Amino acid sequence: LKLHLRFRSSRGDQDSNFAFAMAKWVYDFGDGKADGRAEMKNLLGGKGANLAEMASIGLPVPPGFTLTTEVCTHFYQNDCQYPKELEQQVEKALNLVESRTGRKFGDSANPLLVSVRSGARASMPGMMDTVLNLGLNDVTVEALAKKSGDRRFAFDSYRRFVQMYSDVVLGIEINHFEKHLERAKEKRGVKQDCELLPEDLEKLVKSYKAVVQLELGEEFPEDPKAQLWGAVGAVFNSWMNQRAKTYRALHDIPEWWGTAVNVQAMVFGNMGNDCATGVAFTRDPSTGKNEFYGEFLVNAQGEDVVAGIRTPQELTIR
């Protein structure tokens, strides 16, 4: 938390802002430790505060860090500019994630991939933007394929990333990519994305990048650091998109609250039929009944559940 003093300078009439200590804009979590706690949701957003709490009590939360809601406020009050200390604090937090995972962001042998998600203090499901598998490029995808021993998984993650980043960050309509995906499935004679072969997915990545070149007149960004800042900016910008504004108006959520941004080491639900993605609730979200409820998809990632392209299975406790 920051403490600012405003006073009138003895050398003139100009007001000045000073802080007792350098402002803290980034809070890390993971490895049984966290800078934040559950009660700090106004600063860290609901997701960031709960990730910090779960990490601090020893739950196996993938390590990461949260850019606070105050960064969002600063962003909009200063012509979409970040606080001057932010880049250094993000770099330090990213280094900590690297040390906690044993992987390095952008590394050609053992790359760290991250997700970038929004997280306002009040839940706003589906209203703001997310980017998964960030950090992939033509070099790191080969490292991921070698490290995992699964070329199909690596290029499935890569084609997902290029499509999602192009949509969320670069502003290219998703249908430009979907038609290439449908064509690939038709050519292979399959109905599901997960049935495509590694060579199909490699061709899709090239097709997707060609779309970016055609639509924007520039190449898809290969630098992981540039990818990261592009995604962070997209999440902050999504706080002011039309669907988020409408949702806030309907649910009496003040605009000045802002959103946090959560950057977290990736875990993968698309590594094969022994992996899955899903969602779980302590109550049935439809009826409110006090019983466990959940759904999951095998060999998939989160956007597959949201997009409704496959029917999820029911998650039960036995």
Side-chain angles (χ1 to χ4, degrees):
L1 295 176
K2 307 187 297 299
L3 178 59
H4 289 277
L5 295 179
R6 180 177 289 273
F7 70 101
R8 192 167 298 278
S9 171
S10 60
R11 294 177 293 177
D13 293 331
Q14 184 177 7
D15 284 349
S16 301
N17 285 324
F18 284 82
F20 276 138
M22 187 173 74
K24 185 173 177 62
W25 305 100
V26 178
Y27 287 66
D28 67 77
F29 57 85
D31 199 25
K33 306 179 185 70
D35 290 340
R37 290 293 183 271
E39 60 268 21
M40 296 172 65
K41 71 176 184 177
N42 289 0
L43 181 67
L44 303 179
K47 187 176 295 177
N50 285 317
L51 284 168
E53 184 72 13
M54 289 189 290
S56 67
I57 64 175
L59 294 177
V61 175
F65 54 91
T66 300
L67 283 68
T68 70
T69 57
E70 291 183 346
V71 178
C72 187
T73 302
H74 184 285
F75 183 76
Y76 282 108
Q77 288 180 347
N78 292 273
D79 195 26
C80 298
Q81 298 297 311
Y82 296 119
K84 66 180 185 299
E85 306 96 343
L86 186 64
E87 185 174 358
Q88 181 182 357
Q89 291 184 22
V90 166
E91 188 72 26
K92 182 179 178 181
L94 188 59
N95 290 341
L96 188 56
V97 177
E98 291 176 334
S99 68
R100 286 170 168 169
T101 60
R103 300 191 291 271
K104 190 168 181 60
F105 196 54
D107 190 60
S108 60
N110 189 20
L112 168 69
L113 305 183
V114 298
S115 62
V116 181
R117 292 183 169 95
S118 63
R121 67 171 82 175
S123 179
M124 295 175 58
M127 296 301 106
M128 290 179 287
D129 290 328
T130 294
V131 178
L132 305 179
N133 307 312
L134 190 144
L136 280 172
N137 57 30
D138 290 345
V139 174
T140 57
V141 70
E142 295 292 347
L144 184 64
K146 184 176 181 180
K147 191 75 176 176
S148 65
D150 188 341
R151 194 167 186 82
R152 190 207 172 280
F153 152 69
F155 277 90
D156 181 53
S157 300
Y158 197 13
R159 66 95 185 169
R160 289 171 182 272
F161 169 60
V162 174
Q163 177 174 321
M164 183 174 277
Y165 193 93
S166 298
D167 173 32
V168 169
V169 181
L170 303 181
I172 302 174
E173 291 290 336
I174 201 166
N175 64 286
H176 290 297
F177 305 98
E178 290 292 340
K179 65 183 180 183
H180 286 281
L181 178 59
E182 292 305 314
R183 194 176 300 146
K185 290 190 287 186
E186 183 180 345
K187 188 175 181 179
R188 180 57 63 186
V190 299
K191 294 187 179 298
Q192 303 291 343
D193 301 0
C194 58
E195 297 174 295
L196 290 171
L197 300 181
E199 54 265 36
D200 302 326
L201 297 167
E202 288 186 56
K203 290 176 182 176
L204 268 179
V205 169
K206 291 178 181 177
S207 297
Y208 285 3
K209 287 189 169 187
V211 169
V212 174
Q213 181 70 53
L214 181 65
E215 292 296 315
L216 300 182
E218 58 188 50
E219 294 185 352
F220 185 85
E222 290 276 307
D223 179 8
K225 293 286 178 67
Q227 293 173 359
L228 178 60
W229 285 106
V232 167
V235 173
F236 282 134
N237 279 315
S238 71
W239 176 250
M240 296 299 286
N241 69 32
Q242 191 55 54
R243 65 181 184 270
K245 288 181 178 180
T246 301
Y247 188 92
R248 288 199 296 272
L250 291 171
H251 296 272
D252 296 319
I253 299 172
E255 185 177 287
W256 61 266
W257 277 5
T259 183
V261 175
N262 298 289
V263 179
Q264 192 173 17
M266 279 293 300
V267 291
F268 302 96
N270 61 323
M271 289 188 74
N273 291 329
D274 58 347
C275 300
T277 184
V279 62
F281 301 87
T282 54
R283 286 181 178 267
D284 188 314
S286 298
T287 66
K289 191 174 181 180
N290 188 13
E291 61 183 18
F292 181 83
Y293 176 87
E295 294 178 326
F296 72 98
L297 282 174
V298 172
N299 197 14
Q301 286 196 332
E303 73 267 26
D304 298 336
V305 179
V306 175
I309 58 177
R310 290 167 55 191
T311 304
Q313 298 172 254
E314 187 176 343
L315 186 63
T316 58
I317 294 179
R318 294 183 179 178

